[in-house]
Amino acid sequence: MDDALNSYGDIARPTAGGHGMDIASQRADELDALAIQRIEDLVALANGRHAIRALDVGCGHGGQAARMAKAGAQVLAVDIEDCAQDVARTMRDEGVDESAWAFRQMDIAAIAAIDARPQVIGCQRMIHYLCYPDALEALRILRGIAAEGAKLYLSASGMDSELVDGYEGQGVDVRQRFATLRPDRAEKHGITLPVCLYREGELAGLVREAGWRVDRVFCSGFGNVKLVASLEQCKP
């Protein structure tokens, strides 16, 4: 496809505020699928005795949130932008009952105040919009609200992707790395804000520093970093 963004065939479907393209509404990637499998496993174990709660951080148009709800979770979808209408439309199109989901417009700091206790947390294509110290605090906040045994499904744009071409953060330590993309890359991918691109070991180090245990880390075919983590300790 000549108009495709990448080898997966994704097309340009911008999110608001220069936060990249909405990919989740076009397809589920490997990390999305792992999160859905986790929900399905938890639902089967619960056998109707209690709700399985999921949190989708940086939900965009709600593609993954809809998949989470269809897998059996009670989903809270959050985004810094007002995506309420887009999420509602996606849920209607996917046949998701209104009782299975909610949307809230908020930033990461506000998430600390919600009483969610999610067992599954998805955070795809969002954390790189935060500088390292803010990303660290965000992951600590998510850990603070997570349920016992929770798992985190996290991704970040990668230093091994085409985004690194002309990126001024090359050669800068990850703790100080925060720069805009080369103009043509920014336009193509709809990422107009400064970002911190990551290598696998750097994202894993960030997550561990925030108090999570890293279970798996890998790169997508495009070169973005994907990670699964769980709580190091049981919450009281």
Side-chain angles (χ1 to χ4, degrees):
M1 296 176 58
D2 293 337
D3 57 349
L5 290 171
N6 50 44
S7 60
Y8 298 105
D10 299 320
I11 62 173
R13 188 173 293 170
T15 56
H19 289 101
M21 300 299 175
D22 187 80
I23 303 300
S25 64
Q26 302 183 56
R27 63 180 171 91
D29 68 11
E30 183 178 354
L31 193 67
D32 291 328
L34 290 171
I36 296 305
Q37 184 61 60
R38 178 65 174 171
I39 291 171
E40 291 174 345
D41 291 345
L42 290 171
V43 169
L45 286 171
N47 195 25
R49 294 189 300 273
H50 53 79
I52 302 304
R53 296 173 299 279
L55 175 66
D56 187 10
V57 182
C59 66
H61 296 173
Q64 178 66 355
R67 286 186 285 271
M68 287 174 158
K70 292 174 75 172
Q74 186 71 37
V75 181
L76 175 60
V78 303
D79 201 285
I80 195 170
E81 303 290 345
D82 184 4
C83 304
Q85 292 185 353
D86 292 323
V87 174
R89 185 181 304 110
T90 297
M91 294 295 180
R92 287 195 301 270
D93 291 346
E94 293 297 322
V96 178
D97 191 272
E98 291 183 359
S99 64
W101 65 277
F103 170 80
R104 295 191 196 178
Q105 182 183 6
M106 60 176 64
D107 61 17
I108 283 284
I111 291 177
I114 68 175
D115 184 20
R117 293 293 179 263
Q119 293 131 300
V120 174
I121 301 173
C123 184
Q124 283 249 55
R125 293 170 286 272
M126 188 286 288
I127 201 75
H128 50 247
Y129 292 107
L130 303 176
C131 62
Y132 192 97
D134 290 345
L136 180 60
E137 178 61 20
L139 293 172
R140 286 173 172 162
I141 287 171
L142 293 179
R143 185 181 187 279
I145 65 163
E148 180 179 332
K151 283 191 175 290
L152 169 69
Y153 298 84
L154 178 73
S155 73
S157 290
M159 290 288 283
D160 291 324
S161 72
E162 69 174 38
L163 302 182
V164 80
D165 296 340
Y167 174 60
E168 292 185 0
Q170 294 186 65
V172 178
D173 183 84
V174 67
R175 292 177 180 273
Q176 287 78 45
R177 187 185 303 151
F178 200 55
T180 54
L181 302 182
R182 196 176 78 189
D184 61 331
R185 295 288 190 245
E187 181 179 6
K188 176 181 177 181
H189 294 278
I191 301 175
T192 60
L193 300 172
V195 288
C196 178
L197 303 185
Y198 286 88
R199 299 180 177 89
E200 288 185 36
E202 293 169 341
L203 189 63
L206 169 70
V207 172
R208 290 191 186 101
E209 188 175 352
W212 294 84
R213 183 186 68 220
V214 175
D215 300 328
R216 180 183 177 191
V217 60
F218 60 98
C219 271
S220 71
F222 181 72
N224 290 333
V225 183
K226 312 283 183 176
L227 184 148
V228 181
S230 54
L231 291 182
E232 289 245 23
Q233 301 172 346
C234 293
K235 296 182 66 64

PDB file of all heavy atoms in Angstrom, residues 1-6 10 188:
ATOM      1  N   MET A   1       0.840  -1.198   0.000  1.00  0.00           N
ATOM      2  CA  MET A   1       0.000   0.000   0.000  1.00  0.00           C
ATOM      3  C   MET A   1       0.880   1.255   0.000  1.00  0.00           C
ATOM      4  O   MET A   1       1.691   1.449   0.902  1.00  0.00           O
ATOM      5  CB  MET A   1      -0.906   0.011   1.240  1.00  0.00           C
ATOM      6  CG  MET A   1      -1.907  -1.127   1.296  1.00  0.00           C
ATOM      7  SD  MET A   1      -2.857  -1.128   2.850  1.00  0.00           S
ATOM      8  CE  MET A   1      -3.583   0.493   2.805  1.00  0.00           C
ATOM      9  N   ASP A   2       0.683   2.137  -0.999  1.00  0.00           N
ATOM     10  CA  ASP A   2       1.516   3.324  -1.122  1.00  0.00           C
ATOM     11  C   ASP A   2       1.283   4.313   0.015  1.00  0.00           C
ATOM     12  O   ASP A   2       2.159   5.100   0.364  1.00  0.00           O
ATOM     13  CB  ASP A   2       1.263   4.009  -2.467  1.00  0.00           C
ATOM     14  CG  ASP A   2       1.752   3.156  -3.636  1.00  0.00           C
ATOM     15  OD1 ASP A   2       2.627   2.304  -3.422  1.00  0.00           O
ATOM     16  OD2 ASP A   2       1.246   3.371  -4.748  1.00  0.00           O
ATOM     17  N   ASP A   3       0.055   4.346   0.576  1.00  0.00           N
ATOM     18  CA  ASP A   3      -0.260   5.309   1.616  1.00  0.00           C
ATOM     19  C   ASP A   3      -0.114   4.726   3.010  1.00  0.00           C
ATOM     20  O   ASP A   3      -0.517   5.351   3.990  1.00  0.00           O
ATOM     21  CB  ASP A   3      -1.683   5.850   1.430  1.00  0.00           C
ATOM     22  CG  ASP A   3      -2.737   4.744   1.428  1.00  0.00           C
ATOM     23  OD1 ASP A   3      -2.360   3.560   1.356  1.00  0.00           O
ATOM     24  OD2 ASP A   3      -3.936   5.083   1.493  1.00  0.00           O
ATOM     25  N   ALA A   4       0.448   3.535   3.129  1.00  0.00           N
ATOM     26  CA  ALA A   4       0.597   2.901   4.430  1.00  0.00           C
ATOM     27  C   ALA A   4       1.715   3.563   5.225  1.00  0.00           C
ATOM     28  O   ALA A   4       2.721   3.990   4.682  1.00  0.00           O
ATOM     29  CB  ALA A   4       0.882   1.408   4.267  1.00  0.00           C
ATOM     30  N   LEU A   5       1.520   3.617   6.548  1.00  0.00           N
ATOM     31  CA  LEU A   5       2.534   4.190   7.428  1.00  0.00           C
ATOM     32  C   LEU A   5       3.712   3.255   7.623  1.00  0.00           C
ATOM     33  O   LEU A   5       4.830   3.696   7.877  1.00  0.00           O
ATOM     34  CB  LEU A   5       1.923   4.491   8.807  1.00  0.00           C
ATOM     35  CG  LEU A   5       0.916   5.631   8.891  1.00  0.00           C
ATOM     36  CD1 LEU A   5       0.268   5.635  10.276  1.00  0.00           C
ATOM     37  CD2 LEU A   5       1.599   6.963   8.621  1.00  0.00           C
ATOM     38  N   ASN A   6       3.455   1.954   7.540  1.00  0.00           N
ATOM     39  CA  ASN A   6       4.466   0.953   7.887  1.00  0.00           C
ATOM     40  C   ASN A   6       4.142  -0.362   7.192  1.00  0.00           C
ATOM     41  O   ASN A   6       3.170  -0.461   6.429  1.00  0.00           O
ATOM     42  CB  ASN A   6       4.500   0.767   9.415  1.00  0.00           C
ATOM     43  CG  ASN A   6       3.108   0.531   9.995  1.00  0.00           C
ATOM     44  OD1 ASN A   6       2.329  -0.230   9.453  1.00  0.00           O
ATOM     45  ND2 ASN A   6       2.797   1.197  11.091  1.00  0.00           N
ATOM     46  N   ASP A  10      -0.887  -0.010   8.349  1.00  0.00           N
ATOM     47  CA  ASP A  10      -1.628   1.023   9.066  1.00  0.00           C
ATOM     48  C   ASP A  10      -1.703   2.292   8.222  1.00  0.00           C
ATOM     49  O   ASP A  10      -0.754   2.643   7.524  1.00  0.00           O
ATOM     50  CB  ASP A  10      -0.941   1.349  10.399  1.00  0.00           C
ATOM     51  CG  ASP A  10      -0.870   0.143  11.327  1.00  0.00           C
ATOM     52  OD1 ASP A  10      -1.861  -0.607  11.382  1.00  0.00           O
ATOM     53  OD2 ASP A  10       0.176  -0.045  11.976  1.00  0.00           O
ATOM     54  N   LYS A 188       4.630  12.529   9.015  1.00  0.00           N
ATOM     55  CA  LYS A 188       4.160  11.216   8.584  1.00  0.00           C
ATOM     56  C   LYS A 188       3.438  10.478   9.702  1.00  0.00           C
ATOM     57  O   LYS A 188       2.385   9.863   9.478  1.00  0.00           O
ATOM     58  CB  LYS A 188       5.345  10.373   8.096  1.00  0.00           C
ATOM     59  CG  LYS A 188       4.976   8.941   7.711  1.00  0.00           C
ATOM     60  CD  LYS A 188       6.190   8.148   7.265  1.00  0.00           C
ATOM     61  CE  LYS A 188       5.822   6.696   6.962  1.00  0.00           C
ATOM     62  NZ  LYS A 188       7.015   5.905   6.549  1.00  0.00           N
TER      63      LYS A 188
END
